[in-house]
Amino acid sequence: MSFDLSVIPNKNIVLAVTGGIAAYKSAILVRRLKDAGFNVRVVMTQGAQAFITPLTFQALSGNSVHTELLNPEAEAGMGHIELARWADLLLVAPASCNTLAKFAVGLADDLLSTLYLATKSPVWVAPAMNQQMWAAKATQRNLNTLVEDGVHVIMPDAGSQACGDVGLGRMPEPEDLARQVTDYFHKAQRAIAEKFGMLAGRHVVVTAGPTREAIDPVRYISNHSTGKMGFALAAACYAAGAKVTLIAGPVSLDTPNGVRRINVSSAVQMLEISMQMLDEGCDIFIATAAVADYRVAEVAEHKIKKAGDELNVSLIKNPDIVATIAQQQKRPFMVGFAAETRNVEEYAAGKLVAKKLDMIACNDVSRPDIGFASDENAMIVFFAEQYQMQKRDLEKASKQEIAQQLVEAIHDALHNEIEPV
Ligand code: C5P
């Protein structure tokens, strides 16, 4: 399972296409839903097939298209009852007047109307029709009935229509429909995570990326950290139900869905914001940032001009952010990271004690295949003695998978669910 909330994993959409000129937009809708990570199966009424062919939808969805209620071949594959059970959402787009009327009275004379009665999944309809047909009393009466029956009606847009009229009745654009569907699943997923997730109700603060230490107004000292591990952790913590604040050094990564991001530049700024987070109330502090150990003692007010063969810049030690937070009276659960090139385990275990951490995840950055700019990582996790937990080897995997395992490790330590050594 992936924790990337921008893509919805393993959700099934039955897209039912009925007879209307807007059916052509549904072809693009299939693409957009697939792009968002949904599995899509298409059902077409007979009317729909007058506007667009099943082959188009088969090619776009990657699945055969369902058109008949009593087709022995189709029933041998995925029949209407299986299809009804398979759906996490039945989306009827475009929904014709005729289909709305059938749904409202409970007719079951073709595949779609039968499916509507047979499914337990939420049903969404996107009516699309001539503005006069939309305004007709019977249509409005049927829509009211459907709303009372729990169907979600996506309001049509207003504008010029294929028939030449102007008014309400246009199907919203595929991108808009796909976004509404995606938002719905995100919210549902989030509600579950907030209630049952491993970090439900916790505020997690993650530091990520490098820091930038100014030399003069145009130059700085920094490092190669990309922030990928920290961003993956922020996403994983959010997916596990936490409220997440990401304190990010200068990196070019998109903010993970649902995460509050505060951009900083120097180590001193990172510490300042971290301390503010303590005041806000922080339960778990995860320090993935590659903080510069030293900063320039006196930052030049103006650009330093080229002169002489040597230039000496005096450096002074930066505050250790994770160690400073760990010393506070009301301290969160502290997670540190260690990147080493030799004696990896020994140095990491030493840092765990020296910085008064609860957990440390270390990796061997001398390995060319993992770490810094790589999309993969492999780590060893140590816990402070009081947790009585054995070290964990996280084998080479994507940073997303490693992040998920680290969330599990944090959860287990907080609940001390592991057998004592
Ligand atoms: O001492 P070292 O830099 O190897 O320690 C790494 C751990 O300490 C990381 O979790 C890093 O984010 C944190 N750290 C910090 N502030 C510093 C230096 C390191 O929070 N100034």
Side-chain angles (χ1 to χ4, degrees):
M1 190 177 113
S2 160
F3 271 133
D4 181 359
L5 285 184
S6 59
V7 172
I8 306 276
N10 294 326
K11 289 289 176 197
N12 301 331
I13 310 255
V14 171
L15 172 65
V17 184
T18 74
I21 183 59
Y24 78 92
K25 289 188 185 174
S26 304
I28 303 166
L29 178 57
V30 173
R31 284 292 285 270
R32 297 290 93 89
L33 291 171
K34 297 270 293 176
D35 290 347
F38 292 106
N39 307 313
V40 182
R41 284 183 173 270
V42 177
V43 168
M44 295 180 80
T45 62
Q46 229 170 357
Q49 293 168 62
F51 289 92
I52 187 164
T53 68
L55 198 58
T56 304
F57 285 110
Q58 181 177 318
L60 291 170
S61 68
N63 288 312
S64 53
V65 171
H66 306 258
T67 54
E68 307 294 330
L69 175 59
L70 302 172
N71 175 346
E73 258 174 53
E75 291 290 315
M78 189 179 268
H80 65 283
I81 297 297
E82 280 107 321
L83 204 52
R85 289 188 185 137
W86 181 83
D88 292 307
L89 178 74
L90 171 59
L91 170 63
V92 188
S96 66
C97 268
N98 183 47
T99 294
L100 297 175
K102 280 182 171 184
F103 283 4
V105 293
L107 276 185
D109 65 347
D110 66 359
L111 176 60
L112 175 55
S113 50
T114 312
L115 197 57
Y116 170 71
L117 294 173
T119 193
K120 279 198 207 156
S121 80
V123 178
W124 288 23
V125 294
M129 60 197 66
N130 163 272
Q131 50 91 20
Q132 201 61 52
M133 291 172 80
W134 165 260
K137 281 191 176 151
T139 306
Q140 291 302 316
R141 191 168 55 238
N142 288 335
L143 281 165
N144 282 336
T145 304
L146 291 183
V147 170
E148 273 174 31
D149 291 348
V151 172
H152 174 62
V153 178
I154 301 167
M155 283 298 285
D157 289 342
S160 64
Q161 304 198 301
C163 54
D165 279 7
V166 177
L168 265 182
R170 284 159 53 116
M171 190 169 96
E173 293 309 309
E175 287 72 18
D176 184 16
L177 287 179
R179 189 189 43 75
Q180 289 190 40
V181 171
T182 309
D183 284 353
Y184 166 75
F185 281 101
H186 277 155
K187 282 196 186 123
Q189 214 171 347
R190 181 68 193 154
I192 293 169
E194 276 180 358
K195 204 163 170 198
F196 304 110
M198 279 188 280
L199 302 182
R202 315 260 190 190
H203 180 202
V204 180
V205 175
V206 182
T207 68
T211 63
R212 216 173 246 186
E213 310 298 334
I215 299 171
D216 66 18
V218 295
R219 304 183 180 93
Y220 57 80
I221 298 171
S222 192
N223 60 63
H224 290 299
S225 167
T226 58
K228 281 183 187 167
M229 194 62 235
F231 276 58
L233 257 162
C237 289
Y238 179 75
K243 172 184 152 193
V244 183
T245 306
L246 177 60
I247 307 176
V251 292
S252 53
L253 292 175
D254 291 337
T255 309
N257 189 325
V259 168
R260 172 173 67 155
R261 173 176 181 172
I262 302 173
N263 288 327
V264 295
S265 184
S266 67
V268 169
Q269 284 172 346
M270 192 174 266
L271 176 62
E272 194 184 326
I273 302 291
S274 300
M275 293 299 279
Q276 278 176 22
M277 290 305 114
L278 275 199
D279 292 340
E280 248 187 44
C282 161
D283 304 297
I284 300 162
F285 189 92
I286 307 178
T288 68
V291 184
D293 289 329
Y294 294 89
R295 68 178 182 278
V296 177
E298 271 179 55
V299 181
E301 194 184 340
H302 297 288
K303 186 178 170 189
I304 300 171
K305 300 307 278 179
K306 206 179 335 180
D309 288 341
E310 273 186 34
L311 171 70
N312 291 311
V313 178
S314 168
L315 302 177
I316 53 169
K317 207 160 191 193
N318 259 332
D320 190 310
I321 299 166
V322 82
T324 309
I325 303 284
Q327 276 162 17
Q328 307 302 308
Q329 220 181 9
K330 235 183 110 203
R331 56 173 255 154
F333 181 87
M334 299 297 302
V335 183
F337 278 71
E340 303 291 348
T341 52
R342 62 196 168 104
N343 303 339
V344 180
E345 297 198 20
E346 189 190 323
Y347 286 148
K351 273 178 200 170
L352 179 73
V353 175
K355 298 189 187 221
K356 296 196 167 56
L357 304 176
D358 295 288
M359 181 176 136
I360 193 161
C362 62
N363 59 355
D364 181 350
V365 284
S366 68
R367 275 175 64 173
D369 56 332
I370 56 168
F372 271 158
S374 166
D375 289 327
E376 294 193 308
N377 212 344
M379 307 204 98
I380 304 170
V381 180
F382 293 94
F383 302 90
E385 222 173 50
Q386 69 267 28
Y387 294 99
Q388 299 203 318
M389 285 170 66
Q390 282 173 355
K391 71 167 185 175
R392 289 186 186 182
D393 273 306
L394 312 184
E395 280 172 20
K396 186 175 155 186
S398 71
K399 284 187 172 167
Q400 278 71 23
E401 284 169 73
I402 294 285
Q404 192 177 332
Q405 292 183 56
L406 289 171
V407 165
E408 280 164 23
I410 294 168
H411 166 266
D412 291 347
L414 285 168
H415 293 265
N416 214 354
E417 284 170 349
I418 285 285
E419 292 288 304
V421 186

